[in-house]
Amino acid sequence: MFKKSLIALVSLLSITAFAQTDLVLEGERWLAANKGYVCGAYSDYTNAPSSHSGMNVVWGDLSTDYTLDNVLIKATFENANGVECSYSSLLFADNDASTIELLESRAFSKVDAAADCSEGKAILDSQLEYNDYLYWGHPHHATLMVPAAGAAEVCGAGATHIGIDFMVYKRL
């Protein structure tokens, strides 16, 4: 009985530890750094929409595999209690249609394992669910056009989306 209980506890701890790590993209080939927010390709950089500034979202790198179809994005945000949460998402890019779709994501706190990051994760997940993306410029940019509260405040009346812009900087 003790042996079964111990195995169950170790299994639960393993699952919890696994969920407390960022997602990984096997075969990463291209890296792109976040450059900020834009209202469209070739537009000037602008402020974060209120849905991101309110959570202090900081986008990290975007990486893709050799096919450019599989994408990993990392970010951090603060939960309602001000605890920093790590966020990572795997997405699938349909390059012919210029669309990108969320496949899986994780959010957790590296500083407080008990912190609840689910609300911020849900917001980012809903924004990354299915979107157009723009591939433009030289050096090359990949911009995810996401729906965001506050887009009209920074991109003008009627705007519902804002671009999270990444610029390619390295081939692995």
Side-chain angles (χ1 to χ4, degrees):
M1 181 68 168
F2 176 74
K3 188 175 182 180
K4 287 182 182 178
S5 297
L6 184 59
I7 290 171
L9 178 62
V10 170
S11 297
L12 180 61
L13 291 175
S14 301
I15 291 168
T16 302
F18 179 71
Q20 299 292 329
T21 60
D22 285 318
L23 293 167
V24 174
L25 176 63
E26 297 297 326
E28 281 181 310
R29 181 66 175 257
W30 299 98
L31 293 176
N34 179 253
K35 299 310 255 182
Y37 294 94
V38 294
C39 296
Y42 300 99
S43 68
D44 292 331
Y45 288 98
T46 189
N47 296 324
S50 58
S51 58
H52 290 189
S53 61
M55 298 188 321
N56 293 318
V57 175
V58 176
W59 296 98
D61 285 346
L62 173 150
S63 60
T64 69
D65 63 2
Y66 183 80
T67 68
L68 302 176
D69 291 336
N70 300 296
V71 177
L72 172 68
I73 298 175
K74 294 182 180 177
T76 61
F77 64 87
E78 290 181 5
N79 72 5
N81 297 322
V83 176
E84 184 177 282
C85 296
S86 179
Y87 177 84
S88 57
S89 59
L90 288 172
L91 302 105
F92 177 75
D94 181 337
N95 295 303
D96 292 332
S98 295
T99 59
I100 194 160
E101 178 179 7
L102 178 66
L103 301 175
E104 179 183 357
S105 70
R106 285 190 192 148
F108 63 95
S109 175
K110 293 179 181 178
V111 295
D112 181 357
D116 183 6
C117 298
S118 62
E119 185 177 340
K121 177 185 179 299
I123 291 169
L124 295 179
D125 283 355
S126 70
Q127 291 177 332
L128 294 172
E129 186 175 15
Y130 184 82
N131 296 293
D132 291 336
Y133 79 87
L134 311 174
Y135 187 68
W136 57 279
H138 190 71
H140 298 292
H141 290 252
T143 304
L144 285 65
M145 298 301 295
V146 301
E153 296 167 9
V154 295
C155 291
T160 58
H161 289 65
I162 191 158
I164 305 167
D165 185 50
F166 298 89
M167 186 175 71
V168 176
Y169 73 91
K170 186 177 184 179
R171 178 180 172 202
L172 300 175

